[in-house]
Amino acid sequence: MSYCREQGKDKIIFVTKEDHESPSTADITYNPEEDDDSPGLILPNGEINWQCPCLGGMASGPCGEPFKEAFSCFHYSQAEPKGSDCIEEFRSMQECMSKYPELYPFDKDEDNDKEEQTKTTTTVEQKTSEEVAVTKESTATRAS
Amino acid sequence: MFRVAGSVTASRLSAVCCRTVTAKQFQVHGASLHVLSSETSRKSRNGPAHHRIPPSWQSVRTMASAGDSQAKINYIFYGLAVLFGGGGIIYYMRETSKDGNKTKKSTAAVPAESKEATEPVSEKPTSETTKSEAPPAELPPTETPAEAAAPDAESKKLLDAMPQSYPDYEVMPDIPGHAKYLLIGGGTASFAAFRAIRASDAKAQVLVVTEEEELPYMRPPLSKELWYSDEPKLVEKLKFKQWNGKERSVYYNPPSFYVEPKELAYQENGGVAVVKGRKVMKLDPQKQVAVLDNGWEIFYDKVLIATGGRPRNIPVFERASQEVKDRVTLFRGIKDFKRLDEVSRNASTIVVVGGGFLGSELTCALGKRSRDSSLKVIQMFPEPGNMGKVLPEYLSQWTTAKVRGEGATVKPETFVKRARFSDGKVILKLNTGEEISTDHVVVAVGLEPNTELAKESGLEVDDTYGGFRVNAELEARSDIWVAGDASSFYDIKLGRRRVEHHDHAVVSGRLAGENMTGARKPYWHQSMFWSDLGPDVGYEAIGIVDSSLPTVAVFAKATEKDTPKAVVEETGESLRSVTETEAEATLPTKEETVAAVSGETTAPPEVEIKDPSDPASATGVEPSASEKTESATDEEPAPDVEAAAKLVAEVETENRVAPTPKEDYGKGVIFYLRDDIIVGIVLWNLFNRMPIARKIIKEGKQHQDLAEVAKLFDLHADED
């Protein structure tokens, strides 16, 4: 049973769990998938959204250009398997990144979030070596 | 914390604070991560570890499951590619072809020939498509591993072969005479802008000119994480630990990210150069040139003004003697943090002037420090409660009690009338008549936007909100944009405003950067802000959160067990009056009356009346009612007996109406209304719900029943 009180211009309502059991009759729905505010990595027109916060500073750092080239190449690659015609671009990206070890470090010892490891499984991880999985997991969760 | 009875060890407190506070803030301060909308970062803020989902997974899962299989492959491959760099892909391919034979990664530094790659690659995509979950696509630039743990000989040669090989290097000026993208100011908005510019234009040459002697850094940890760290060595380096144990620097990028200004023009792939310790005095919008304080001229194609603001001072301290001024910190940046950090280790008293975000956060931070030392922290402000301009009064009062619970003395409705230096101390004479002797004063009373270059540059300054006036696309005049604290912009939804928050600096900086590369987007994505006051109270907010607006709040009712908190709410109105009645030792105290009526024998534990002039005042966690009244022996003005009696009566009446269990502002949502439309929302101890709040603001509808709207936030979600 909810309870309400007023304090001047401010109204305060206290609700119990039961009060909130029935669905909302408010004239608004929120659907996370339809959130057009953040288009995500791929724009509706199929292009890559370089502004996506999910990329962090990858597209804008010193190796932004080689990174964009490599990833664009992959994105539009029609080869089979996809991206196999982009090895050169990936190579230059890696070469660039090696010049900035501080920005693109290679971390082998990340094992902070074992609990997240169990939650996020993909066949990729299952197939790859354990070392690869650990690194990716911890880097990913660090990204969060 | 206020629930903890008995002894509370410093380490336990710091552990709680560190874990909770850093958990709450971790993401927003990440070098790259803060550019994520802040709330995605705060998704993992609370709750037991096994419930926490890193935001990256959530959004990536959404993306991955929403799209078609091609999109899924994209994310997966992207994840791998970014993770390992090109060479990593090669390495991975080689690894899977080697029957799990684990070679050391560093030896695989040299990329393999493409031929070797073809066989194992075919395995990957097919197996990946069957999975709905993709590895995270979100990775910060600083943590993406590259193959070369040890740079090979070739790379080393490249590194060594730098400036000497630049043609005409000797005659190249230290500061470029031209910049395609000129950013004035080196703070958060500027950082977000240069990241956005380079994301659109990956060969962009960006020149940042900042007055500070620092590379771009983030501000929130200076009043949060850095104070709650148990690792002084990290704090010294301006680093802190995130909830996941990873270290983070307050600097957005390490120095190696930046290019020397002198070498900017030589960079084939552009870069970002920062000129430190220089101020732009004026812009000529028609000639498109900026003039520095040393007379140097920089011609620009596009310029961003992200000058932020400088901390306001109060006239009393501006007029004070130099000895007083030397002991006053106007808190804003790294050097202020360092100063205060040092002072707080040796001082016996620190006064914080200001009851808003910064003042309250610093008070809590210093309050925590005071538990391990003899430091006394006193906060004062003219409003009736902490966050008085932001939170509705009942919540402001509740928050004030919380701040007191952090170990500080809070004096609402108090301001400094005079300040003098005497015998090594600063003596403050307050409006209440009280005199306080203190070692140091921190002033956190707001920001004055840095619009000095407006007049000379023919730029409009907003006389209502302050700051440079810009349109919805953040443009002031042709090719001149303004973002961050200094920007008074037109918000399509909420009208013209100026916002002084971290996330806004990120959102507007990014938008300005995108528009500087031709995007022509209006301010659309509503920024949010947040604050934490100790481990129990945290809130996120969005839109116009002004306590002068009418509000409607929905709180989840307290569970059956009576909490000490409940008593605070019950007497919420009377907290102020408790302070006022400090001197009324002889009155049949309101505390006792209220305690009797509500059936409690102890007064709210957080309400500590710490009187500096009374050594007998209780500083424990749960002072009893009688203790409190006895401690009131300071020189407060004569009590208003009538007013106090009236309040007692009011509270009694209220108690007769109030049902049990007691009101509890444990968690809830507060709607701020303007013409019956929700223009602002505060999520009180509720997390992962900012997108819903954002949508409500965006829709700008008139809602008939706000209680129904509140249902969308699933207040009881975390309950069993």
Side-chain angles (χ1 to χ4, degrees), chain B residues 7-204:
Chain B
S7 68
V8 180
T9 61
S11 58
R12 181 160 156 216
L13 264 171
S14 66
V16 167
C17 283
C18 193
R19 189 174 61 241
T20 328
V21 173
T22 45
K24 288 167 185 176
Q25 318 296 355
F26 73 96
Q27 185 140 353
V28 193
H29 315 312
S32 57
L33 303 174
H34 86 294
V35 187
L36 281 162
S37 53
S38 303
E39 68 264 21
T40 47
S41 60
R42 284 161 70 72
K43 270 178 189 161
S44 310
R45 173 185 151 148
N46 259 0
H50 65 275
H51 282 163
R52 264 186 275 133
I53 304 168
S56 56
W57 292 115
Q58 209 155 339
S59 42
V60 171
R61 250 191 276 131
T62 309
M63 288 193 293
S65 55
D68 57 15
S69 60
Q70 183 59 65
K72 286 175 202 165
I73 300 170
N74 290 346
Y75 299 128
I76 293 158
F77 193 98
Y78 163 62
L80 275 179
V82 164
L83 198 60
F84 299 112
I89 297 291
I90 315 298
Y91 163 75
Y92 160 75
M93 294 170 197
R94 285 169 68 190
E95 276 309 280
T96 50
S97 71
K98 276 178 189 166
D99 301 317
N101 181 18
K102 296 179 190 185
T103 332
K104 277 260 179 290
K105 283 202 160 74
S106 49
T107 61
V110 179
E113 281 68 52
S114 44
K115 292 194 195 97
E116 218 176 317
T118 46
E119 187 54 44
V121 174
S122 57
E123 282 179 37
K124 240 183 345 80
T126 44
S127 55
E128 285 159 19
T129 47
T130 57
K131 272 296 177 180
S132 56
E133 275 190 31
E138 297 166 69
L139 291 159
T142 54
E143 289 158 10
T144 306
E147 271 313 291
D152 55 39
E154 210 183 290
S155 309
K156 202 162 182 312
K157 252 192 284 175
L158 270 162
L159 286 167
D160 291 336
M162 295 267 259
Q164 301 88 322
S165 60
Y166 291 150
D168 300 324
Y169 186 72
E170 317 76 45
V171 297
M172 186 63 110
D174 287 335
I175 303 174
H178 169 262
K180 183 166 181 199
Y181 300 100
L182 175 64
L183 308 190
I184 306 175
T188 301
S190 190
F191 162 74
F194 69 63
R195 178 171 277 192
I197 290 169
R198 291 215 16 108
S200 295
D201 180 0
K203 293 187 189 256

Side-chain angles (χ1 to χ4, degrees), chain B residues 594-672:
Chain B
V594 168
V597 172
S598 59
E600 293 289 314
T601 49
T602 49
E606 310 88 334
V607 184
E608 294 172 23
I609 313 295
K610 268 206 306 195
D611 178 4
S613 63
D614 179 6
S617 23
T619 51
V621 178
E622 288 183 357
S624 64
S626 51
E627 225 181 311
K628 264 213 312 352
T629 48
E630 277 160 21
S631 69
T633 54
D634 55 17
E635 317 98 285
E636 242 98 0
D640 186 344
V641 178
E642 264 183 51
K646 197 160 145 235
L647 277 157
V648 170
E650 273 178 34
V651 173
E652 280 187 72
T653 322
E654 204 187 285
N655 286 341
R656 279 200 279 274
V657 172
T660 53
K662 311 288 185 301
E663 293 175 2
D664 175 17
Y665 304 125
K667 58 184 167 173
V669 55
I670 305 131
F671 299 112
Y672 290 69

